[in-house]
């Protein structure tokens, strides 16, 4: 297969698109949409986000040292895009988008009520890398929406219809292709084969934004 060689650049796609909520020392809240976010460590649980210094939320993050990562869904896709293109200097994003503001249990930054998962984070180090500064943070608490628990008490985020970001476009995650380890797992056969269990669908119909 023929391939073109390009100059060095960030081509790691798709990415999770998350809404990061912050609060400054005066109590003003804001939401910034971040695609450059990721898991760093399991024990202790740590994550990172990368933010341009010129972003309105940057000094809020730097001064408070706290933030909340709010996972996004298809229902929150428009809000996520809005929070990425509108500045908190101009608009109260919680109010403008009708997002529910909930107080976190550990950090001062607020949580977004409509998000299926809220991850409370406390910054432990800031790396000034270049165009973006990386905020390395410890996870202090996680909140998961009970509506997405299955009949066995397992949290099933896929039922909430999460979204991903790729080259300036948002995508639903589509059908499941396998589970971790499926490439080496032995197939069940005959009577011992377990019946495939499917998760319950959403009770409400998605509405389109036009």
């Amino acid at each position: 297969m023929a391939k073109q060689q390009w100059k060095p650049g960030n081509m790691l796609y798709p990415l999770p698109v998350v809404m990061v909520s912050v609060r400054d020392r005066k109590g003003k809240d804001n939401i910034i949409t971040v695609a450059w976010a990721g898991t760093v460590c399991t024990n202790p649980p740590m994550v990172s986000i990368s933010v341009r210094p010129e972003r309105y939320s940057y000094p809020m993050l730097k001064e408070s040292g706290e933030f909340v990562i709010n996972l996004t869904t298809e229902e929150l896709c428009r809000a996520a895009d809005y929070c990425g293109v509108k500045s908190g200097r101009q608009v109260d994003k919680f109010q403008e988008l009708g997002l529910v503001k909930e107080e976190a249990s550990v950090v001062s930054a607020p949580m977004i009520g409509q998000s299926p998962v809220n991850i409370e984070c406390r910054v432990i180090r800031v790396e000034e890398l270049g165009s973006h500064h990386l905020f390395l943070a410890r996870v202090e608490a996680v909140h998961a929406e009970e509506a997405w628990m299955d009949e066995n008490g397992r949290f099933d985020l896929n039922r909430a219809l999460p979204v991903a970001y790729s080259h300036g476009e948002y995508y639903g995650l589509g059908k499941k292709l396998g589970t971790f380890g499926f490439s080496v797992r032995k197939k069940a056969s005959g009577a011992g084969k377990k019946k495939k269990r499917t998760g319950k669908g959403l009770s409400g119909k998605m509405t389109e934004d036009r």
Side-chain angles (χ1 to χ4, degrees):
M1 294 182 288
K3 293 183 179 178
Q4 299 179 5
Q5 181 173 327
W6 298 346
K7 65 180 182 180
N10 290 303
M11 290 294 293
L12 183 60
Y13 290 103
L15 300 165
V17 53
V18 300
M19 300 164 72
V20 175
S21 46
V22 294
R23 174 174 291 163
D24 67 17
R25 292 178 179 176
K26 296 181 180 179
K28 184 173 182 180
D29 300 326
N30 191 43
I31 305 168
I32 180 175
T33 299
V34 174
W36 293 0
T39 297
V40 174
C41 185
T42 300
N43 187 23
M46 297 173 66
V47 295
S48 70
I49 60 173
S50 293
V51 181
R52 290 181 180 271
E54 57 266 29
R55 295 292 293 270
Y56 176 69
S57 291
Y58 179 87
M60 302 171 76
L61 287 164
K62 197 78 177 287
E63 293 171 6
S64 69
E66 297 177 341
F67 60 90
V68 176
I69 292 177
N70 306 275
L71 300 192
T72 56
T73 62
E74 290 184 11
E75 186 176 358
L76 286 170
C77 190
R78 180 179 179 276
D81 182 70
Y82 184 95
C83 290
V85 297
K86 285 288 186 178
S87 172
R89 295 185 181 94
Q90 304 164 342
V91 63
D92 182 332
K93 299 176 187 178
F94 275 98
Q95 183 176 2
E96 185 72 16
L97 296 167
L99 296 173
V100 176
K101 185 185 299 186
E102 296 180 347
E103 293 302 314
S105 62
V106 179
V107 304
S108 62
M111 305 188 302
I112 298 174
Q114 289 93 329
S115 173
V117 177
N118 315 98
I119 306 170
E120 299 187 43
C121 305
R122 182 164 287 138
V123 178
I124 61 172
R125 188 162 71 245
V126 180
E127 295 288 346
E128 300 183 2
L129 302 174
S131 63
H132 290 69
H133 292 181
L134 183 144
F135 289 80
L136 183 64
R138 182 190 295 266
V139 175
E140 300 291 348
V142 177
H143 304 261
E145 175 58 53
E146 291 182 350
W148 307 120
M149 300 289 184
D150 65 17
E151 60 271 22
N152 297 317
R154 171 183 168 274
F155 184 70
D156 188 359
L157 180 61
N158 294 327
R159 290 174 53 207
L161 303 181
V163 296
Y165 181 79
S166 181
H167 296 279
E169 299 176 322
Y170 304 94
Y171 292 91
L173 296 188
K175 68 177 182 179
K176 181 173 70 175
L177 302 178
T179 57
F180 179 77
F182 82 100
S183 62
V184 296
R185 190 176 298 121
K186 293 182 178 180
K187 294 182 179 180
S189 60
K193 188 174 182 180
K194 295 182 179 179
K195 183 179 180 181
K196 184 177 180 181
R197 178 168 53 84
T198 57
K200 298 178 181 178
L202 291 174
S203 58
K205 184 178 181 181
M206 295 293 294
T207 56
E208 295 183 356
D209 293 302
R210 299 183 184 276

